[in-house]
Amino acid sequence: MNKLAIYPGTFDPFTNGHLDIVLRSVRLFDRFIIAITTNAKKTPLFSVPERKELIEKSLPAGNNITVESFDGLLVDYAEKKGCIILIRGLRAVSDFEYELQMALLNRRLKPAIETIFKMPSEEYSFLTSSAVKEIAQLGGCVDGLVPPAVKSALIEKFKINQQSILAKI
Ligand code: ADP
């Protein structure tokens, strides 16, 4: 059987916590898709093509992973791909309620699709994309929290933002 899994998320930006979940999951499947949601509730810092490029740069060489984006319902996208396994990360108890709700709603919409939860290494259990953005914006060090390509992109993004703020003064 050709086993395929989809790991959906906003990935704004991709962190070492996301990477930890990918590396723990990927060896269990023949094919693995990291799927970026385009219908984010909040305005993202990075565009979808930027997020895609940063994820691709952060993955180990010679992998069986593809990075895509999708809009609309996740379960419709999964069905189109012929995929019945969704991967989600569970950091702490605080993630549980939201993730349970999403998993049960998705099951309600498409009963054939299963959600599998993976726990990251505890060093990443506090890590969120929002925290990383806040630290970087305030000039803090994000070493060890994000892959090197993401670190450079954050520095670049906030430099540009600061320049555009200065230009308006
Ligand atoms: P979403 O907006 O779909 O929650 P995120 O990019 O925030 O998108 O997260 C995608 C998935 O990765 C979610 O299941 C989330 O719980 C998981 N995740 C995010 N950060 C971490 C982390 N540090 N460790 C493990 N899982 C994580």
Side-chain angles (χ1 to χ4, degrees), residues 26-138:
V26 76
R27 60 204 173 89
L28 307 174
F29 301 95
D30 301 305
R31 287 185 302 133
F32 196 85
I33 299 176
I34 300 176
I36 305 167
T37 45
T38 57
N39 40 359
K41 281 171 225 140
K42 284 180 276 176
T43 316
L45 177 64
F46 292 99
S47 69
V48 170
E50 284 173 330
R51 280 181 267 164
K52 182 175 188 292
E53 191 187 334
L54 290 176
I55 296 172
E56 282 167 347
K57 281 185 177 165
S58 306
L59 297 174
N63 59 63
N64 56 345
I65 308 168
T66 49
V67 186
E68 298 186 358
S69 60
F70 71 99
D71 41 28
L73 279 176
L74 170 62
V75 287
D76 289 338
Y77 166 74
E79 193 174 59
K80 235 184 312 169
K81 291 275 158 190
C83 176
I84 57 161
I85 300 169
L86 303 176
I87 302 289
R88 293 286 290 178
L90 265 188
R91 279 162 293 199
V93 186
S94 50
D95 278 341
F96 182 77
E97 202 169 326
Y98 174 74
E99 293 293 341
L100 175 74
Q101 185 189 5
M102 291 308 296
L104 294 181
L105 278 172
N106 284 334
R107 182 186 287 168
R108 172 78 183 249
L109 293 169
K110 301 267 185 224
I113 295 180
E114 279 298 325
T115 306
I116 295 179
F117 293 101
K118 304 292 293 177
M119 265 70 80
S121 161
E122 65 249 30
E123 63 186 300
Y124 304 127
S125 58
F126 58 91
L127 185 56
T128 64
S129 295
S130 318
V132 159
K133 282 183 279 192
E134 207 167 323
I135 294 168
Q137 186 166 21
L138 298 172

